[in-house]
Amino acid sequence: MTQSPRTGREKPRNIIFRLLGPGLVTGAADDDPSGIATYSQAGAQFGYGLLWTVFLTTPFMIAIQLISAQIGRVTGKGLAANLSQLAPRWFVVVIVSLLVAANTFNIAADIGAMGEALSLVIGGLTHEHALIFAAGSVLLQVFIPYRRYAPILKFLTLSLFAYVVTAMTVKIPWSTALISALWPKPTLNLDYFLMVVAVLGTTISPYLFFWQASQEVEEMAQSKHRRPLKELRRGGDPEITRIAVDTTVGMMFSNAIAFFIILTTAAVLNAGGITNIQTAAQAAEALRPLAGELTFLLFALGIIGTGLLAIPVLAGSAAYGVAEAFGWPATLEAKAPDAVGFYGIIAAATIIGFGLGFTSIDPIKMLIWSAVINGIVAVPIMIVMMVIISKKSVMGRFKAKPWLVGFGWGGTALMAVAVIALIWSSLS
């Protein structure tokens, strides 16, 4: 009797904290500095004309991330481990290798953007700032166990609210923006089409699939009493509900932030005649004379905050993929000596990404290569994921419902079209 009041008071807070986890972090990590650059270019070049893409991608993004999360929680294995059971070994090795390459290029671009943003805010050398970010990211992942690191990642998702506040600091013609978002008038030319493809490729990325599936496994492992859902003879529905809420909130949050970035850059940069933005830091710098110091500062700090979240996700998803493919221990909960291969991939991807900043390779080209590789990897992975989620022999009674299968295949088809267009544009 004496425990009932305390339980009643704690329950709402505990429920909210438990419901939001891997899905929220994954969605927020999608708005990395490279994604911010893409959304900024969309707003600067086409004004409010591409706001509709946010609404287009949201249901497909929710579906495909929901599928990856359910695969992890139901089977108790990450995506690469599940791929290894259904696909030839050479296929898994190729897919994982391409994932590591794409993530490394992405890390390079993100670290560079973070270094530039901090230099714009406080001065100093870009490479020195980038080194601090790279080293800090690796040390946190290696030396802080998952149970303590996960709350840090959750906390970093708050940095994305900087872009909501940024939009509030500039004058936006809301009626014009909303009409363009809900009733778009596409500009039928190559540049417009390629920007649509770029937004799609930024929103649906393979590293998010691997990360969220493995995070569900990490969450499951935190309690010795929790097992893969397919091993349960009954129950398990609350976990599926938790995943659905977490993933839906995370992906809607991610796309809402993309909406505000496009909105802000359209209202300021496009309206001010600045239509060519190559990096996130360049977007922040361009905002300064047109919108003022506060808008610039919020935008720049947002780049740093989301980069601190995205780099561990990029490096971590690569490590999960490689470790699961080769049967190594794959968990952020392990101590470094017990998972040398896993942490070695995290360190290597981050260090190489940092090192690429010292080469003569154009950061924009690295982003293009990353986008092309991600596209090549995404479609076959999505196809295999759809096969896995539909197999009763793998998912048991948690096989995907028809609506989820429909949206999953729809997202796969949409991504396939985007990839073909992206490769065609890169070769032309």
Side-chain angles (χ1 to χ4, degrees):
M1 292 294 292
T2 56
Q3 294 180 348
S4 297
R6 183 176 68 250
T7 302
R9 286 195 302 269
E10 292 179 353
K11 188 175 181 181
R13 182 172 67 250
N14 291 340
I15 287 176
I16 293 173
F17 186 79
R18 190 176 72 88
L19 284 180
L20 299 181
L24 177 65
V25 171
T26 302
D30 190 36
D31 293 321
D32 67 324
S34 300
I36 293 169
T38 300
Y39 300 135
S40 297
Q41 177 60 27
Q45 188 172 1
F46 296 103
Y48 309 110
L50 286 173
L51 284 173
W52 63 270
T53 57
V54 174
F55 299 104
L56 171 67
T57 57
T58 297
F60 298 113
M61 188 180 180
I62 291 173
I64 202 66
Q65 289 302 139
L66 191 56
I67 287 168
S68 65
Q70 287 188 8
I71 288 174
R73 185 63 185 92
V74 171
T75 66
K77 299 176 183 177
L79 204 51
N82 276 284
L83 287 174
S84 298
Q85 292 186 330
L86 295 179
R89 183 172 179 77
W90 66 264
F91 174 83
V92 178
V93 171
V94 169
I95 288 294
V96 168
S97 299
L98 291 173
L99 174 74
V100 173
N103 286 11
T104 302
F105 285 130
N106 212 328
I107 289 170
D110 285 355
I111 290 177
M114 294 166 68
E116 287 182 59
L118 189 56
S119 294
L120 290 173
V121 174
I122 66 171
L125 299 177
T126 297
H127 288 310
E128 290 178 346
H129 297 322
L131 175 60
I132 294 171
F133 291 134
S137 176
V138 172
L139 291 174
L140 285 172
Q141 290 177 90
V142 173
F143 293 106
I144 297 182
Y146 177 80
R147 64 183 180 276
R148 295 178 182 172
Y149 192 47
I152 295 175
L153 295 179
K154 283 187 189 181
F155 176 77
L156 286 172
T157 64
L158 297 176
S159 64
L160 271 72
F161 281 105
Y163 294 106
V164 179
V165 180
T166 299
M168 300 299 110
T169 65
V170 302
K171 186 177 181 180
I172 295 173
W174 286 99
S175 58
T176 301
L178 293 176
I179 289 172
S180 296
L182 300 175
W183 194 265
K185 296 179 181 178
T187 305
L188 299 178
N189 60 40
L190 182 60
D191 289 340
Y192 184 89
F193 179 69
L194 291 181
M195 186 53 67
V196 171
V197 170
V199 171
L200 290 175
T202 299
T203 305
I204 302 175
S205 301
Y207 74 90
L208 302 177
F209 312 159
F210 282 84
W211 175 263
Q212 191 167 357
S214 293
Q215 293 309 285
E216 286 296 335
V217 179
E218 294 273 24
E219 290 287 323
M220 180 192 72
Q222 291 308 298
S223 172
K224 62 183 180 181
H225 301 296
R226 298 174 72 180
R227 295 178 292 167
L229 293 183
K230 73 174 191 176
E231 294 182 5
L232 303 178
R233 293 186 178 182
R234 60 184 180 182
D237 290 333
E239 279 293 277
I240 297 298
T241 300
R242 176 193 61 79
I243 290 170
V245 172
D246 181 26
T247 303
T248 301
V249 171
M251 301 312 125
M252 291 183 70
F253 176 57
S254 173
N255 280 12
I257 298 303
F259 181 91
F260 281 107
I261 294 171
I262 296 174
L263 189 68
T264 301
T265 51
V268 179
L269 302 184
N270 182 266
I274 298 176
T275 59
N276 186 21
I277 294 296
Q278 299 297 324
T279 68
Q282 190 181 102
E285 190 172 20
L287 286 169
R288 180 181 247 161
L290 295 175
E293 288 294 324
L294 177 59
T295 303
F296 153 75
L297 183 62
L298 288 168
F299 202 96
L301 292 177
I303 294 169
I304 296 168
T306 190
L308 290 172
L309 174 63
I311 291 173
V313 173
L314 285 160
S317 61
Y320 282 121
V322 173
E324 290 168 10
F326 289 98
W328 304 340
T331 173
L332 287 167
E333 187 68 21
K335 294 182 179 179
D338 299 326
V340 174
F342 177 74
Y343 288 119
I345 296 297
I346 288 177
T350 308
I351 292 169
I352 293 172
F354 168 71
L356 288 173
F358 290 89
T359 67
S360 58
I361 301 175
D362 187 346
I364 307 306
K365 288 186 178 179
M366 285 193 287
L367 279 180
I368 293 173
W369 293 342
S370 176
V372 171
I373 295 172
N374 270 328
I376 293 172
V377 172
V379 176
I381 290 178
M382 291 169 77
I383 291 173
V384 176
M385 284 171 62
M386 294 311 303
V387 172
I388 292 173
I389 202 73
S390 303
K391 271 184 170 289
K392 191 170 184 179
S393 59
V394 178
M395 301 296 291
R397 57 193 175 88
F398 295 100
K399 183 178 74 169
K401 292 180 171 58
W403 70 266
L404 184 57
V405 173
F407 274 105
W409 280 117
T412 304
L414 184 65
M415 194 63 190
V417 172
V419 168
I420 293 171
L422 185 62
I423 294 174
W424 171 74
S425 66
S426 300
L427 296 176
S428 60

